[in-house]
Amino acid sequence: MPNVEPKAAHGMLVLGEEKVYLSHLPMFMDPHAVQYILEVTLNSATSDALQIYTKDRRTTGAAVYTLDPEPFRISDLVALEGQQPKLTSFTGTLFRGHFERGGTEILDPVTVEVQRVIHFRHFDHHASRPAALNYLAFGKRSELFLAHWITKAPDFDHHIGVRQVSGSASTVLTDAILQKGPRLEIAGRADRPNDRLHESDQVTVKFLDGGPADVDLQLAIGREFYEEEGDLATEMHSH
């Protein structure tokens, strides 16, 4: 019999206001051992879901917003060759704060429509950890985010806002490049929690994929939205 992936509730971090992005909160155990980032729209049959979310974020100033979705199969988010993804929408509950750690319910239910899969990668326990700190870039030039590239335990999840320093390079992180979730290497930083990016840092980065390899960019680091080590401390973890 084939090994069928079970349905599960895959919690996600919610980021962005101009566009909304969902980033999986992974663990190193199946079926949660996947790093993925989605560009989505939020809808509700009874209210303006996007307005409720953005107004709450601006009013409270909270950093962490999460989505507790209905159970689904992660693999259904990506298309097999020549086919469409099996899953392009799902419902869930939107929270201010972490939904498993005392978060406040903002909207239930909310319907998520997947516009784009920016990044999707199953963890490989044979993978080598990068020597230097790596992040995935996504968003828009006017609202840009970085997510730490997760490889193997022990590791950490980290999401932070960023902007490109004006005039730092002729090539910029354009919206077209950002749609592909380019991977960036941070100069002079080891891939460990203590060397992660911090608010007000200014760093030099280069493209590892998704952009020109011979271009260095200067980035100014903005607000930290999320940092987690416990869920990624070991290969096996349960809530």
Side-chain angles (χ1 to χ4, degrees):
M1 294 291 290
N3 185 18
V4 178
E5 178 194 338
K7 289 186 176 181
H10 300 286
M12 304 175 220
L13 183 70
V14 186
L15 291 162
E17 295 183 19
E18 294 183 36
K19 297 280 188 180
V20 178
Y21 305 93
L22 301 180
S23 184
H24 185 217
L25 303 175
M27 297 179 288
F28 290 116
M29 60 179 291
D30 290 331
H32 304 286
V34 179
Q35 185 169 18
Y36 66 77
I37 299 170
L38 311 175
E39 179 185 324
V40 304
T41 58
L42 303 179
N43 300 293
S44 171
T46 59
S47 57
D48 187 330
L50 178 61
Q51 182 182 50
I52 290 173
Y53 157 67
T54 55
K55 181 178 180 180
D56 194 89
R57 185 181 278 282
R58 293 169 184 173
T59 301
T60 66
V64 177
Y65 284 76
T66 55
L67 183 83
D68 182 17
E70 63 181 338
F72 66 89
R73 296 183 180 90
I74 283 182
S75 59
D76 288 345
L77 288 168
V78 292
L80 298 176
E81 187 174 354
Q83 300 181 21
Q84 295 294 317
K86 293 181 180 180
L87 185 69
T88 57
S89 68
F90 51 88
T91 61
T93 305
L94 180 65
F95 286 83
R96 181 195 320 120
H98 198 301
F99 65 92
E100 291 183 317
R101 303 171 187 173
T104 301
E105 183 179 304
I106 299 300
L107 190 62
D108 181 32
V110 62
T111 300
V112 174
E113 301 286 347
V114 180
Q115 305 299 308
R116 179 178 291 103
V117 178
I118 295 171
H119 181 79
F120 188 97
R121 175 174 48 90
H122 287 277
F123 296 137
D124 177 2
H125 68 274
H126 296 296
S128 298
R129 186 187 309 281
L133 191 60
N134 285 196
Y135 280 81
L136 295 163
F138 63 100
K140 296 171 66 66
R141 287 182 61 190
S142 55
E143 192 176 37
L144 175 60
F145 304 99
L146 298 181
H148 178 241
W149 173 276
I150 300 168
T151 53
K152 59 191 300 183
D155 214 324
F156 66 101
D157 194 0
H158 187 225
H159 291 73
I160 198 160
V162 65
R163 65 176 177 82
Q164 184 176 345
V165 176
S166 178
S168 65
S170 58
T171 301
V172 297
L173 287 166
T174 65
D175 292 352
I177 288 176
L178 290 166
Q179 287 178 359
K180 301 175 183 178
R183 183 179 172 188
L184 307 176
E185 180 180 271
I186 315 301
R189 302 284 184 104
D191 190 62
R192 58 191 181 193
N194 287 347
D195 271 358
R196 73 182 189 272
L197 300 177
H198 292 86
E199 296 180 14
S200 300
D201 284 350
Q202 186 164 313
V203 294
T204 301
V205 308
K206 67 177 182 180
F207 288 98
L208 291 181
D209 59 47
D214 58 346
V215 172
D216 289 340
L217 302 175
Q218 295 292 321
L219 298 181
I221 309 305
R223 187 178 191 188
E224 182 177 80
F225 291 95
Y226 185 77
E227 199 272 341
E228 170 65 37
E229 298 175 42
D231 281 353
L232 296 168
T234 62
E235 289 291 339
M236 295 298 293
H237 179 92
S238 59
H239 290 294

